[in-house]
Amino acid sequence: MIGRDSSVMKAWEATVRKTQAVAKKRANSIFGMTHADEEDHSRKDHSNGSEVYELYHAEKVLSNGDYYKGDWADNFPHGKGKYVWTDGCVYVGEWVRGKTMGKGRFSWPNGPNYEGEFKNGYMDGTGTYTASNGDIYKGQWVMNMKHGNGVKNFANGDKYEGEWRRGMQEGQGRYEWRDGNYYIGEWKNGNICGKGSFFWGDGNRYDGSWEDGLPKGTGAFRWEDGSFYSGNWSKDPRDQSGTYYPPGSSQEGHLEWDPGEVFNALSAYEVCPGEKVSILPSQKRLAVWRSSKGGDGAKPRRMSIDGRVSVGLEKPSDRMQLWGGCEGDFSGTKTPTTADDNLTTLNHDGSISRGTHLQTLKAPTKSKRQGETICKGHKNYELMLNLQLGIRHSVGRPAPSASLDLKPSAFDPKEKVWTRFPPEGSKYTPPHPSCEFKWKDYCPVVFRTLRKLFKVDAADYMISICGNEALRELSSPGKSGSFFYLTNDDRYMIKTMKKAEAKALLRMLPAYYNHFRAFENALVTKFYGLHCVKLTGPAQKKVRFIIMGNLFCSEYTIHRRFDLKGSSLGRITIKPESEISETTILKDLDLNFIFRLQKSWFQEFCRQIDRDCELLEQEGIMDYSLLVGIHFKDISENGELISSGSHTPTGDPENEGTPCTSRADMDLLLLDPTRWASIKLGVNMPARVERTVRKSDCELQLVGDPIGEFYEVVLFFGVIDILQDYDISKKLEHAYKSIHYDPTSISAVDPRQYSRRFRDFIFRIFSEDS
């Protein structure tokens, strides 16, 4: 363990203090500080520890033309100051070691400005943004986005007051148009969506369901005289149905009225789009210059406003200077200290061995595309054809648009409907080259409605599974003996199931369905269909299939995959580092990271994990796990992972002024809030991971100790394997293993204990990124 009190740490800190002192002296000569400036110094502790920094007032014109005037400490703006960029952007306010932190005002050259709270370079807290077109938003912010409660007054006279989420109206809100008409109700992704009411100035109103800014579903239109029209609403007249109720006992009123008039009237009431910001405060680079060990004539290096340094070639001693990093940061490369013989090396399972250096992490070897294409002649070729024919028949069959409120009979697994598929075809099935088989859909109405809930287009779904491209079979069955198949576009995974698993799913299907209706960001596996193929002949073999979403279907390369349960027995991958590829599934004792999520995401993650575990516990399910995929944003040409604030030698001194690592990808997303639509809890999530190490004398230390080395990543995660009952076989497994091993270390435990242990573990390896 490398701890705060170890000799390694003490020697390392001493080197840090020494190099920082040298950096101060060199910075003074670079900036051309006068003796008058030096006399204005005042010693002050700004580190909440043992380090003391010099705080003084400075006025500097930097070599790239930027200008700064204000408090300065240890080569950083620190305190209150004004920074002017050459492009005309200006920040006036509070700084903490080179980061905009506290209250301040940021203005853009084309007119917009933000005044309020900042955190780590982002607009974060409470603040007011005035756009160039005159729009004004006043309310809460998180990482440059409107998030929380806020009021926006539009330049055209419209006004929105209510909840915001990731830059767009979401939750409960009130929108009033300039003519006085207004809407009160639910919003989603910046659109009117959910339950709500629209009020006209003449006293008429609509109460009911909405989708994409228009009535959709059940609702009622009421006139001022008390009459109303109630029924099902849709933009498509064919889906409209309803009844007119006159006022009191009178038969007069609006008998000839057409519901389409409401849609025509509402077409004039659009929600004003927000102005897109040209560049965000967190994107602005802070030109802080310092010398390298070569002396004052060396090429200067630049630092981004969030404290990360961009460096070209540098000597080990330069690497020791901390710029905006936390005390105790490691660069991921050899760290020079006076006690090199005490440094460590990190094994792939996160444990450490004494006597060598902490090794740089590398991206795993690239692997070829997963799975073997099922071509003619493959042992499962006919089974694949049967599956595709059955799916095409099930999904393509015409059916009325199902309401989300399903009847209990829809969940009845005893409703067996078998369809016969003879090779010559029939009245309902096409001819095919496979053998005769029977096809069964389990609870087809429920799964059709689930696909609708998951926003799966029926045509796209059929093309993915039943198109001209063959399925791919994964090379080996899972631990349960089930086989896995992937669609050619990687969107869906098909798994063969045991009868017990199918029974478990059908038993929990009502609770599962209601769970996703209540929580759209549920992390448990999404199921799209449950089917069975029954082969004809003496064997009468039945093969059951479940169709699931593929969590790792993404444009990003998944560099590391972890299957995490919170148990330790057997939870390690016995493979040498050279054999670990991008598709290798690593386990609990292989994990060498802590996942750090932005505050609002972390809070939502914790709430959702609790909800999902409560569902599984109530349904008697155990042995599930959190599948996590990591895409590392910054990888050098030789495959080394580049940590935030560490550097990769390029050999090109001209590149020394270019940042090697930044939050550029995230900032691009933040510039256009609509691009956040692709980011959901567990999907495409920008985050950071912090590297950990385990004590070498503690083989079963489940979570390693963080060492302050961070990596910018994109995360994917979800709760998988949710169909295992705590049945008699699992109870016997628990009893047997409890005799030989620590009962807390084994996977097979009762659902209540499993849920508690799983949550405890997950909340140790995920934390808020502060």
Side-chain angles (χ1 to χ4, degrees):
M1 175 180 177
I2 301 180
R4 285 277 305 159
D5 298 328
S6 68
S7 59
V8 177
M9 204 62 174
K10 290 178 180 177
W12 181 74
E13 287 176 347
T15 308
V16 170
R17 286 192 292 270
K18 181 179 178 181
T19 53
Q20 285 177 332
V22 172
K24 284 183 201 174
K25 294 178 181 178
R26 289 176 181 159
N28 293 347
S29 62
I30 290 174
F31 281 116
M33 286 177 53
T34 64
H35 292 292
D37 290 329
E38 294 174 2
E39 290 171 1
D40 199 29
H41 292 187
S42 60
R43 294 187 65 81
K44 192 172 181 180
D45 188 343
H46 297 290
S47 64
N48 296 321
S50 58
E51 291 188 57
V52 177
Y53 302 121
E54 309 260 357
L55 179 65
Y56 58 93
H57 186 80
E59 183 172 357
K60 304 177 185 294
V61 177
L62 308 180
S63 58
N64 70 336
D66 291 357
Y67 170 83
Y68 176 79
K69 182 178 182 180
D71 296 331
W72 193 269
D74 194 47
N75 253 5
F76 293 103
H78 186 87
K80 292 184 178 180
K82 177 180 181 180
Y83 196 102
V84 182
W85 285 269
T86 53
D87 63 2
C89 291
V90 178
Y91 172 78
V92 181
E94 297 175 337
W95 299 79
V96 175
R97 299 204 67 218
K99 301 176 185 177
T100 53
M101 186 92 74
K103 293 184 178 180
R105 187 176 190 273
F106 189 97
S107 57
W108 286 260
N110 57 338
N113 67 81
Y114 167 85
E115 188 163 359
E117 295 177 312
F118 286 79
K119 183 178 179 183
N120 291 323
Y122 293 97
M123 300 179 285
D124 199 305
T126 302
T128 302
Y129 176 81
T130 304
S132 58
N133 63 0
D135 292 351
I136 299 175
Y137 169 83
K138 185 175 183 178
Q140 294 176 304
W141 297 75
V142 172
M143 293 183 72
N144 292 336
M145 292 179 293
K146 306 171 188 73
H147 191 95
N149 289 305
V151 178
K152 185 166 184 178
N153 291 286
F154 295 88
N156 68 349
D158 293 359
K159 179 181 179 180
Y160 173 83
E161 182 174 1
E163 295 178 282
W164 297 76
R165 187 174 178 80
R166 298 194 295 277
M168 291 181 283
Q169 297 98 325
E170 184 157 330
Q172 290 288 332
R174 182 183 191 276
Y175 193 102
E176 182 174 341
W177 283 264
R178 56 186 171 183
D179 62 2
N181 294 348
Y182 61 95
Y183 166 84
I184 298 177
E186 296 178 341
W187 294 72
K188 187 174 181 181
N189 291 329
N191 281 321
I192 296 172
C193 189
K195 301 287 185 182
S197 302
F198 191 99
F199 299 83
W200 281 265
D202 58 9
N204 297 342
R205 61 184 284 182
Y206 168 83
D207 304 285
S209 300
W210 296 75
E211 188 175 295
D212 292 331
L214 293 172
K216 180 69 180 291
T218 56
F221 183 87
R222 303 176 188 276
W223 285 269
E224 191 178 19
D225 62 8
S227 60
F228 66 96
Y229 173 92
S230 179
N232 187 68
W233 294 73
S234 175
K235 193 174 181 181
D236 187 345
R238 293 174 296 179
D239 293 334
Q240 289 179 5
S241 61
T243 305
Y244 170 73
Y245 297 89
S249 58
S250 170
Q251 296 301 312
E252 299 178 0
H254 308 272
L255 290 172
E256 302 301 322
W257 176 78
D258 179 9
E261 292 181 21
V262 174
F263 291 92
N264 292 333
L266 289 174
S267 63
Y269 291 91
E270 295 185 350
V271 176
C272 281
E275 181 188 61
K276 293 180 181 178
V277 183
S278 57
I279 190 167
L280 298 167
S282 57
Q283 287 183 301
K284 296 303 295 176
R285 302 300 168 195
L286 176 63
V288 177
W289 302 92
R290 57 176 181 160
S291 66
S292 66
K293 195 169 184 177
D296 295 346
K299 183 179 282 292
R301 303 182 177 108
R302 301 191 64 180
M303 185 188 73
S304 67
I305 197 167
D306 55 4
R308 286 187 294 274
V309 186
S310 59
V311 188
L313 285 172
E314 62 180 358
K315 299 184 180 180
S317 58
D318 292 321
R319 208 173 287 240
M320 287 304 303
Q321 301 180 52
L322 297 185
W323 294 85
C326 299
E327 194 170 348
D329 279 357
F330 285 81
S331 68
T333 56
K334 178 181 176 182
T335 306
T337 72
T338 56
D340 268 355
D341 57 330
N342 287 327
L343 292 180
T344 59
T345 185
L346 182 67
N347 304 318
H348 88 265
D349 63 353
S351 64
I352 52 177
S353 306
R354 299 285 175 180
T356 50
H357 302 303
L358 188 66
Q359 294 177 337
T360 300
L361 293 181
K362 287 197 172 186
T365 56
K366 289 192 176 294
S367 54
K368 62 181 182 180
R369 196 176 189 198
Q370 278 187 287
E372 174 190 359
T373 302
I374 303 176
C375 302
K376 197 166 185 177
H378 190 283
K379 62 178 181 178
N380 287 324
Y381 178 70
E382 287 196 346
L383 188 61
M384 181 192 74
L385 289 182
N386 297 345
L387 173 69
Q388 292 178 321
L389 285 164
I391 294 289
R392 192 178 289 119
H393 171 75
S394 300
V395 179
R397 187 168 50 205
S401 56
S403 165
L404 294 180
D405 297 315
L406 299 180
K407 297 177 180 178
S409 58
F411 296 91
D412 188 356
K414 295 179 182 177
E415 293 294 328
K416 297 183 179 179
V417 181
W418 290 94
T419 303
R420 180 170 161 266
F421 279 78
E424 66 275 11
S426 69
K427 183 179 178 181
Y428 302 104
T429 63
H432 59 86
S434 182
C435 60
E436 181 173 330
F437 68 95
K438 289 184 178 180
W439 173 263
K440 179 185 176 183
D441 276 329
Y442 292 90
C443 303
V445 175
V446 178
F447 284 104
R448 188 185 306 123
T449 313
L450 277 171
R451 293 194 294 271
K452 178 181 177 182
L453 203 61
F454 298 150
K455 296 180 174 56
V456 173
D457 181 78
D460 291 342
Y461 183 71
M462 272 204 295
I463 291 171
S464 288
I465 301 173
C466 315
N468 295 328
E469 301 293 342
L471 301 177
R472 305 196 315 277
E473 183 180 76
L474 298 190
S475 55
S476 61
K479 188 178 178 182
S480 64
S482 299
F483 282 86
F484 290 87
Y485 303 91
L486 280 171
T487 57
N488 187 64
D489 59 7
D490 290 332
R491 290 177 65 185
Y492 302 104
M493 183 174 284
I494 302 165
K495 175 189 174 187
T496 62
M497 300 181 74
K498 293 181 178 178
K499 186 176 183 179
E501 290 179 307
K503 278 187 171 183
L505 175 56
L506 291 170
R507 188 199 70 237
M508 68 182 286
L509 194 56
Y512 174 89
Y513 176 79
N514 290 328
H515 188 71
F516 269 103
R517 279 203 67 185
F519 311 114
E520 65 171 342
N521 283 333
L523 294 170
V524 292
T525 306
K526 290 182 177 177
F527 295 128
Y528 299 104
L530 178 60
H531 315 283
C532 180
V533 169
K534 185 178 181 181
L535 304 177
T536 56
Q540 294 282 301
K541 181 183 177 183
K542 289 182 181 178
V543 184
R544 297 172 183 84
F545 295 94
I546 185 73
I547 301 177
M548 309 175 287
N550 178 14
L551 185 63
F552 295 152
C553 177
S554 170
E555 61 186 16
Y556 292 103
T557 300
I558 308 298
H559 297 118
R560 288 286 193 198
R561 304 171 187 228
F562 291 95
D563 181 276
L564 307 169
K565 292 185 177 183
S567 57
S568 56
L569 184 62
R571 301 295 296 164
I572 191 168
T573 305
I574 310 300
K575 273 189 176 183
E577 186 75 27
S578 58
E579 293 183 16
I580 294 177
S581 70
E582 292 170 344
T583 57
T584 302
I585 303 294
L586 303 170
K587 299 178 183 177
D588 300 65
L589 293 177
D590 301 311
L591 183 64
N592 56 342
F593 297 108
I594 286 177
F595 307 100
R596 303 207 179 274
L597 305 179
Q598 184 269 330
K599 182 178 179 180
S600 60
W601 280 120
F602 177 68
Q603 292 172 344
E604 187 171 342
F605 170 77
C606 292
R607 286 193 296 266
Q608 196 56 55
I609 285 289
D610 280 334
R611 293 163 181 159
D612 292 344
C613 287
E614 284 166 10
L615 166 74
L616 299 174
E617 183 181 333
Q618 289 166 8
E619 295 300 315
I621 302 296
M622 44 77 67
D623 213 25
Y624 45 89
S625 54
L626 187 75
L627 185 64
V628 182
I630 309 176
H631 166 80
F632 292 94
K633 290 186 179 179
D634 300 300
I635 301 177
S636 67
E637 291 184 4
N638 62 357
E640 292 182 355
L641 303 183
I642 304 172
S643 65
S644 304
S646 68
H647 327 108
T648 176
T650 63
D652 181 6
E654 295 302 316
N655 290 333
E656 285 196 341
T658 305
C660 291
T661 60
S662 70
R663 296 183 183 175
D665 291 345
M666 191 158 187
D667 286 333
L668 285 173
L669 283 168
L670 297 175
L671 278 172
D672 183 1
T674 58
R675 294 182 65 179
W676 278 82
S678 65
I679 300 175
K680 297 192 301 183
L681 187 66
V683 179
N684 290 334
M685 291 191 65
R688 292 199 303 166
V689 295
E690 182 177 4
R691 191 178 179 184
T692 62
V693 295
R694 290 182 175 83
K695 300 174 185 176
S696 58
D697 56 350
C698 183
E699 293 182 5
L700 296 183
Q701 183 186 3
L702 204 53
V703 181
D705 300 316
I707 63 170
E709 182 175 310
F710 296 89
Y711 296 87
E712 300 283 340
V713 299
V714 178
L715 290 182
F716 301 79
F717 50 80
V719 180
I720 64 168
D721 295 337
I722 62 170
L723 299 178
Q724 178 59 61
D725 276 321
Y726 191 52
D727 55 18
I728 186 63
S729 65
K730 287 294 178 181
K731 290 176 182 177
L732 289 173
E733 180 185 340
H734 174 77
Y736 173 78
K737 289 185 176 179
S738 295
I739 299 171
H740 297 85
Y741 308 102
D742 177 2
T744 62
S745 70
I746 60 180
S747 292
V749 295
D750 75 82
R752 186 177 180 183
Q753 183 182 346
Y754 192 95
S755 170
R756 184 170 59 250
R757 184 182 65 187
F758 178 79
R759 279 188 263 190
D760 288 345
F761 173 66
I762 295 302
F763 295 149
R764 288 176 65 195
I765 61 171
F766 278 80
S767 70
E768 180 184 330
D769 188 359
S770 57

